[in-house]
Amino acid sequence: MLEIKGFSLSRRRALQRLATTTGAALTAPMAAHAATTEQVPASGRAQKPAVQYQDHPMGTSACANCANFIPGSTPESMGHCTIVAGNISPHGWCVAYVNRN
Ligand code: SF4
């Protein structure tokens, strides 16, 4: 049996559990992304219903602080999104939200 110096069985199990947990954490956003990309029209951007877009924030999460938001000419004016079609409110939100901070 191969012995790895400094690694006990319990430490290996801890690392295996960490890998499993990390994998699950990475899989959930990927599944959401897959669901989103399945509904992307020929224009290359998803329709608002496909990403559950709403014209109001989800708590402190809003399009204005999303990495995908393309602001309008003023902070309050409608902007656009790199992945969702149409005019996008800076106060909106959808399931593809990515905090830019
Ligand atoms: S991905 Fe969603 S939350 Fe982010 S800017 Fe686009 S519509 Fe808003």
Side-chain angles (χ1 to χ4, degrees), residues 51 53 61-70 80-84 88-89 92-98:
V51 291
Y53 175 83
S61 300
C63 295
N65 56 38
C66 175
N68 298 315
F69 187 61
I70 303 167
H80 291 91
C81 175
T82 59
I83 62 171
V84 179
I88 302 295
S89 168
W93 177 89
C94 83
V95 295
Y97 172 84
V98 177

Side-chain angles (χ1 to χ4, degrees), residues 6-91:
F7 277 77
S8 67
L9 185 58
S10 62
R11 190 171 177 183
R12 284 184 200 167
R13 285 194 178 152
L15 290 173
Q16 287 170 341
R17 287 187 182 157
L18 176 63
T20 302
T21 304
T22 304
L26 292 174
T27 302
M30 289 170 63
H33 177 72
T36 301
T37 55
E38 285 174 6
Q39 299 175 47
V40 175
S43 69
R45 292 184 179 174
Q47 297 300 309
K48 291 177 179 176
V51 291
Q52 300 172 31
Y53 175 83
Q54 59 189 37
D55 60 3
H56 55 276
M58 178 66 79
T60 58
S61 300
C63 295
N65 56 38
C66 175
N68 298 315
F69 187 61
I70 303 167
S73 57
T74 69
E76 292 299 316
S77 63
M78 298 294 273
H80 291 91
C81 175
T82 59
I83 62 171
V84 179
N87 292 326
I88 302 295
S89 168
H91 305 294

